[in-house]
Amino acid sequence: MSFKSKRYPFYVGITTLVVAVVVVLTGLFQWISYRESTVAAMHTADRLFVEINEKTLGQYERSLESLAVLAGSAARMPGMGTLPGGDGMAHPGLDLMFTALAFYKSVFSTYVGFDDGSFIQIVAVRDRPQFRSLYGAPAGTVYVLRTIFRDGQGARHQRWQFLNLERGFIGGRDNLDPDYDPRKRPWYVRALQEKSVFFTAPYVFSATKLPGITCAKQLQGGGGVFGVDVTLEQFAVSL
């Protein structure tokens, strides 16, 4: 029994070699293309991340700068140092405080603390049912006006008034001898030492138990401190 070697035509070998080379080169080109596209995608993602980060930081900075301008302007406003009396509705600074709350959606409240322990504050509960519940406010409440004042005998009183969007009175309650004293708050103490507008470090607000920051400035001529409270949650959402 004899064995004969099987021979293939020359062109079959050449064809096979060419096909093999083409397959290898195609695979190599595809790998290089994939690698380059992946690297390019990574570079693009990095660039976009940097741009978004810079834009976000820029928005935060502009928002904080505008709040600083608000606090500085309010602290210089004539009449802002007027002590609140009765319901506080006649206080000269109310229009500016209401306007700031309507314009700055990140602002939770605007207020003035005085060196005799008096206090006037407007809280924007807006459409937050949890805030209305916190203050015991009726449905339809958009603003809560809080006033701490002294009567003729020097006793401190606290009055809460619940106002609608048009600042109309829809309810209220009174407290005698409130525990809250603005003069003991960190923002008030620091404002007496600072010459310019400042921001506090984040802390938990006494009323809402939510983290936030305060921007404050001592009133021009002394006598009190103007402050703006911003919850970190609202600040982030408003950007």
Side-chain angles (χ1 to χ4, degrees), residues 104-222:
Y104 296 99
K105 301 305 181 183
S106 63
V107 174
F108 174 69
S109 73
T110 54
Y111 49 86
V112 185
F114 300 89
D115 59 10
D116 73 336
S118 298
F119 187 64
I120 185 167
Q121 178 186 33
I122 306 173
V123 177
V125 299
R126 297 189 173 93
D127 57 348
R128 305 292 292 273
Q130 62 270 40
F131 286 168
R132 288 201 301 269
S133 176
L134 179 68
Y135 291 99
T141 298
V142 176
Y143 301 107
V144 176
L145 175 59
R146 178 189 189 186
T147 310
I148 298 176
F149 60 97
R150 294 186 181 274
D151 61 19
Q153 288 71 45
R156 298 174 75 237
H157 297 261
Q158 180 169 245
R159 179 165 295 164
W160 301 85
Q161 298 180 83
F162 308 120
L163 313 176
N164 59 23
L165 183 61
E166 290 73 32
R167 309 180 194 177
F169 179 84
I170 58 176
R173 66 173 186 273
D174 294 328
N175 301 105
L176 180 64
D177 193 21
D179 295 332
Y180 186 87
D181 189 335
R183 299 169 296 184
K184 298 179 181 179
R185 302 301 296 170
W187 53 267
Y188 192 97
V189 174
R190 181 177 170 183
L192 300 183
Q193 303 168 352
E194 297 279 355
K195 294 183 179 180
S196 58
V197 178
F198 68 91
F199 288 91
T200 66
Y203 67 101
V204 177
F205 292 155
S206 60
T208 63
K209 307 304 179 186
L210 293 174
I213 58 175
T214 292
C215 178
K217 176 71 170 67
Q218 185 178 13
L219 299 182
Q220 188 170 21

Side-chain angles (χ1 to χ4, degrees), residues 42-61:
M42 292 295 293
H43 285 318
T44 301
D46 288 341
R47 178 175 55 79
L48 290 175
F49 178 79
V50 171
E51 291 178 357
I52 293 172
N53 188 48
E54 290 177 348
K55 289 180 181 179
T56 301
L57 289 177
Q59 288 179 316
Y60 275 107
E61 290 175 355

Side-chain angles (χ1 to χ4, degrees), residues 70-78 80 197 217-221 225-226:
L70 167 63
S73 300
R76 294 191 299 270
M77 177 181 169
M80 190 62 76
V197 178
K217 176 71 170 67
Q218 185 178 13
L219 299 182
Q220 188 170 21
V225 174
F226 181 87

